[in-house]
Amino acid sequence: MSELYDVAAIGNAIVDVIAPCTDDFLAQNGLTKGAMMLVDPDQSASLYSRMAQAVEASGGSAANTIAGLASFGGRGAFMGKVADDQLGRVFAHDMRAIGARFENAPLAGGPATAVSMINVTPDGQRTMCTYLGASVEFTDDDVDQAVVEASRIVYLEGYLFDAEAARRAFAKAAALAHGSGRMIALTLSDSFVVERHRAALLGFIKGQVDLLFANEAELKALFETERFDDALHQLRPHVKIAAVTRSEKGSVVIDHGQRLTIDPVPVEKVVDTTGAGDQYAAGFMFGLSRNRPLHQCGKLASLAAAEVISHYGPRPAVSLAELAASKGY
């Protein structure tokens, strides 16, 4: 089958509710700054009642990445599960409005569409409390074989490792992708995800993953070390390519064992770090899907991450294609 998509992503379909907060607010509500915790519907509603005025936006890590890819001019597809409710319809509309394929049937008669309460402190750090709702009902039956086989890169969201059915979906997607000569990419998503599923993640990375995305904390958690270079050394034999973000230090890309350092793109003011890793992955995979050298992929990735942390919300506020062109990327 001819290639139709640059990236097909599988992830949690979530609507984000984003509001500013103080460090005291986090402490008063027992929240760990910068982390993602899972909550039930009652906890989610209770937290929402205490949050400041919020902005609602379609989110979900892998879906945000597809939005970034589309902003660069790439062709993307997303697979995830929403409920047959108002938020589910909003999510589906938003994905299709950016030009991405999203055709999974909504869940009827089950839990509501997933929602993430995101509180952002003045330093731009986001703290997420996520009710996974319908998103965890995604199964291997929801993996579209034709889409996987028609995508240059199949991108999997680590957050989905919290659901056993989703792991089976990952296995199916990986088998289909590799059977068609496609690349499997995985993002670790969150240090707590790594700590909950370290053994399963390591096994999947060693056996199935061609391209790994992580931040420094996630990588160190994966290999249970406080030394970044040690974690990087342990990762090298297991993936062809890895891209590891290090906040203000930029990022490090591993290419078949060789190390490249990518400088960060300066940001005048960090407003909200929600979506930084998602957009980094978008820029990197857009470049890779267009056969750009890896250092150029890294530059596109850093540019996208810098754009999204300069405003509220997890998706680009401007055309990343035009922004890249203006910078000579």
Side-chain angles (χ1 to χ4, degrees):
M1 181 179 291
S2 61
E3 293 174 342
L4 298 177
Y5 304 101
D6 297 304
V7 180
I10 298 176
N12 288 325
I14 300 174
V15 175
D16 292 334
V17 178
I18 308 169
C21 78
T22 63
D23 288 293
D24 286 344
F25 177 87
L26 298 181
Q28 290 164 7
N29 287 278
L31 304 178
T32 302
K33 185 174 180 176
M36 189 281 280
M37 66 179 291
L38 300 177
V39 296
D40 62 30
D42 291 340
Q43 291 171 316
S44 180
S46 177
L47 179 62
Y48 179 67
S49 70
R50 297 191 295 274
M51 289 168 59
Q53 185 173 351
V55 173
E56 294 184 3
S58 293
S61 176
N64 293 337
T65 295
I66 292 299
L69 177 86
S71 186
F72 272 112
R75 183 89 193 278
F78 177 75
M79 287 172 268
K81 186 65 81 172
V82 295
D84 186 13
D85 57 18
Q86 181 59 30
L87 286 182
R89 288 185 282 275
V90 168
F91 182 92
H93 172 270
D94 288 350
M95 291 306 297
R96 292 165 187 155
I98 61 172
R101 178 189 173 98
F102 176 57
E103 298 299 335
N104 290 121
L107 181 70
T113 295
V115 63
S116 184
M117 302 299 169
I118 303 177
N119 285 281
V120 183
T121 42
D123 60 0
Q125 275 289 339
R126 87 286 185 272
T127 302
M128 299 184 291
C129 293
T130 303
Y131 165 58
L132 291 174
S135 68
V136 299
E137 303 295 326
F138 186 90
T139 73
D140 52 348
D141 290 336
D142 295 306
V143 175
D144 190 323
Q145 178 176 347
V147 170
V148 169
E149 293 176 344
S151 303
R152 292 181 176 92
I153 303 170
V154 179
Y155 178 68
L156 308 176
E157 179 186 315
Y159 283 128
L160 230 58
F161 250 70
D162 281 312
E164 184 63 36
R167 292 194 211 177
R168 293 194 294 272
F170 277 15
K172 178 179 177 179
L176 290 171
H178 287 147
S180 300
R182 307 312 193 189
M183 177 178 280
I184 284 287
L186 172 72
T187 175
L188 291 182
S189 294
D190 187 274
S191 296
F192 287 178
V193 172
V194 175
E195 289 165 6
R196 285 194 293 270
H197 308 296
R198 183 179 291 109
L201 281 167
L202 271 171
F204 189 73
I205 290 166
K206 292 175 182 179
Q208 303 290 350
V209 175
D210 305 297
L211 167 60
L212 182 71
F213 291 98
N215 64 30
E216 182 172 350
E218 292 158 4
L219 189 66
K220 291 193 291 190
L222 184 66
F223 292 105
E224 298 181 277
T225 177
E226 291 301 315
R227 293 174 55 84
F228 175 69
D229 286 344
D230 286 350
L232 209 60
H233 177 74
Q234 291 185 67
L235 175 65
R236 277 177 168 157
H238 304 306
V239 292
K240 297 173 183 176
I241 304 170
V244 185
T245 57
R246 307 187 73 193
S247 299
E248 71 279 357
K249 297 177 184 177
S251 58
V252 172
V253 174
I254 297 298
D255 175 19
H256 295 81
Q258 300 300 308
R259 177 172 176 166
L260 303 173
T261 299
I262 310 296
D263 292 330
V265 172
V267 178
E268 185 174 330
K269 177 177 172 55
V270 176
V271 175
D272 173 16
T273 57
T274 309
D278 305 336
Q279 297 311 322
Y280 182 97
F284 196 95
M285 289 191 292
F286 173 75
L288 196 61
S289 71
R290 301 307 168 94
N291 299 313
R292 303 277 188 91
L294 288 186
H295 73 275
Q296 289 187 16
C297 296
K299 289 173 69 175
L300 290 168
S302 295
L303 182 70
E307 189 281 332
V308 82
I309 65 175
S310 67
H311 58 78
Y312 271 105
R315 298 185 178 185
V318 301
S319 165
L320 292 178
E322 293 178 6
L323 182 61
S326 73
K327 301 292 185 181
Y329 291 3

